[in-house]
Amino acid sequence: MLRAALIQTTSIPDVSKNFASLKSMIGKAKSGGASLILTPEVSNILGANKKKMFDTLKSESEDPFLFSSRNLAAKYGIWLLLGSLALKLRTSHRMKRDFFVNRSFLISPNGIILARYDKIHMFDVKLLSGVEFNESKIYKNGVVGVVIKLPNFNLGLSICYDLRFPKLYKELAEKGAEILCIPSAFTQQTGYLHWEILLRARAIENRSFVLAPAQCGDHGNGRSSWGHSLAIDFFGNILVDAGSAPGVNFVDLDVTSLRKTRKYSL
C-alpha cells in the first residue's frame, strides 16, 4: 500500500506566507505516515496581478520556495510533488515580452528534482459570469506529457486545465502511468460544474488512480477556487473528498490491485 497525502491550501499573493502554511501541512502529512505528498497548482502564489508576479517571482534556479521545498523533502524522506510553481522564465532578447511558466516538480526523498512538467493547455476562457482568464498571455505552455517510473509506482503528471483533454491522459497511461496527478486551482464555477465528473472519467478511461490536490477559498484580486481535492480509484470511486477548507487528507492506494485489474477487460 502507498499512503499519499493531498494538501489543500489557499495560496495568496504573499509567497512567504504560502510557504509557511505549506511547510506546516507537509509536516502533518509526514506525521500521518504519507510517503507521497502532493500540493496544488501554483502553490507559491495565486491572486496576484502580472506586475506583482513579475516583481515577486524568480526563475527556477533562483527560487527560494523550490529550494526550501527540496530541503523539506530531504528532511522528511518523502516523495514530494509540488503540484506547480509559477516561475519567471528567462527569455531571449528576441522575445518581445516576458513570460512565466506553470511547472510541476517531483522531488525525491533526498531532495533531488527527478522530473519537471510544464502545463500544456492554457486556461483561456470566458465564463458565464463574464470573468475572463487568459493564461497564454503570461504563461509559456509545455509541449509534452511526463511519466515517472519509480520502484513502487508510476506517476503521470498534468496540471488543472489539462484535465479537459483526454488524449493527454491516454498517452500517459500508455506510457505506464498508474497514478494520474492533476493538481489544480479550479474556479468556483467550473469546479461546481465539471471537477468531479471529469476526474472520475479520467480514472475510468485509463484504469488509473487519480490524485487531484486543489486550491480552495478566496485568494484575493477577485480569484477564488473550488477546493474538493479528490482521490479516485481506477473504477471511478471517490476515496477522498477534502471539502472546501484547507487541510491535509490521506489516502491509501493499492497499486498491486490496480496492476492485477489491468490484466483483464471490463
Side-chain angles (χ1 to χ4, degrees):
M1 299 292 286
L2 167 67
R3 170 155 278 205
L6 304 180
I7 289 179
Q8 182 160 289
T9 190
T10 305
S11 295
I12 57 176
D14 189 320
V15 174
S16 296
K17 288 184 178 179
N18 292 335
F19 182 76
S21 175
L22 199 68
K23 180 180 179 181
S24 174
M25 290 188 183
I26 290 174
K28 291 178 182 178
K30 171 63 179 179
S31 297
S35 57
L36 171 64
I37 300 172
L38 304 91
T39 77
E41 182 184 21
V42 287
S43 292
N44 59 334
I45 192 168
L46 193 56
N49 58 33
K50 185 177 180 180
K51 183 180 186 306
K52 174 69 173 178
M53 290 176 65
F54 186 81
D55 291 342
T56 302
L57 297 181
K58 307 293 183 181
S59 65
E60 177 182 323
S61 63
E62 300 170 336
D63 186 61
F65 196 106
L66 176 60
F67 178 80
S68 298
S69 297
R70 293 177 64 184
N71 286 341
L72 274 181
K75 174 184 177 180
Y76 291 130
I78 54 168
W79 294 100
L80 176 61
L81 180 72
L82 288 176
S84 80
L85 301 181
L87 298 168
K88 214 178 264 187
L89 182 65
R90 292 195 179 277
T91 57
S92 70
H93 294 298
R94 292 175 295 177
M95 298 185 74
K96 296 181 180 179
R97 52 186 171 141
D98 295 294
F99 276 96
F100 301 96
V101 66
N102 192 344
R103 179 171 292 166
S104 285
F105 294 91
L106 179 66
I107 303 171
S108 74
N110 57 7
I112 294 174
I113 298 172
L114 286 190
R116 299 166 176 82
Y117 167 74
D118 291 352
K119 185 176 181 179
I120 294 175
H121 301 98
M122 297 290 99
F123 188 45
D124 292 349
V125 301
K126 183 175 182 178
L127 302 179
L128 293 174
S129 63
V131 175
E132 290 190 51
F133 295 89
N134 295 287
E135 287 186 343
S136 63
K137 288 186 176 181
I138 61 172
Y139 287 103
K140 185 167 179 59
N141 64 291
V143 295
V144 63
V146 174
V147 174
I148 309 100
K149 296 185 177 182
L150 301 173
N152 298 316
F153 55 92
N154 301 333
L155 300 179
L157 303 189
S158 65
I159 300 172
C160 201
Y161 195 58
D162 287 333
L163 175 60
R164 296 182 180 274
F165 299 85
K167 182 180 177 181
L168 171 62
Y169 296 94
K170 181 179 180 182
E171 292 172 351
L172 294 177
E174 288 175 345
K175 291 178 181 178
E178 299 166 322
I179 302 171
L180 300 174
C181 302
I182 313 178
S184 299
F186 254 57
T187 67
Q188 290 279 350
Q189 184 176 351
T190 58
Y192 173 77
L193 292 171
H194 300 144
W195 174 242
E196 178 185 318
I197 194 168
L198 288 175
L199 289 171
R200 295 179 72 187
R202 298 297 90 88
I204 295 166
E205 291 165 348
N206 300 291
R207 200 86 64 86
S208 300
F209 287 108
V210 164
L211 297 180
Q215 293 276 358
C216 66
D218 296 325
H219 309 287
N221 199 31
R223 180 68 188 266
S224 60
S225 296
W226 175 241
H228 293 276
S229 299
L230 294 179
I232 301 171
D233 73 11
F234 45 90
F235 289 121
N237 298 308
I238 295 175
L239 305 176
V240 167
D241 183 336
S244 57
V248 179
N249 296 268
F250 297 94
V251 62
D252 294 315
L253 306 180
D254 187 348
V255 179
T256 300
S257 177
L258 178 149
R259 291 170 181 168
K260 290 179 180 178
T261 303
R262 279 186 168 183
K263 294 180 180 180
Y264 302 93
S265 300
L266 293 180

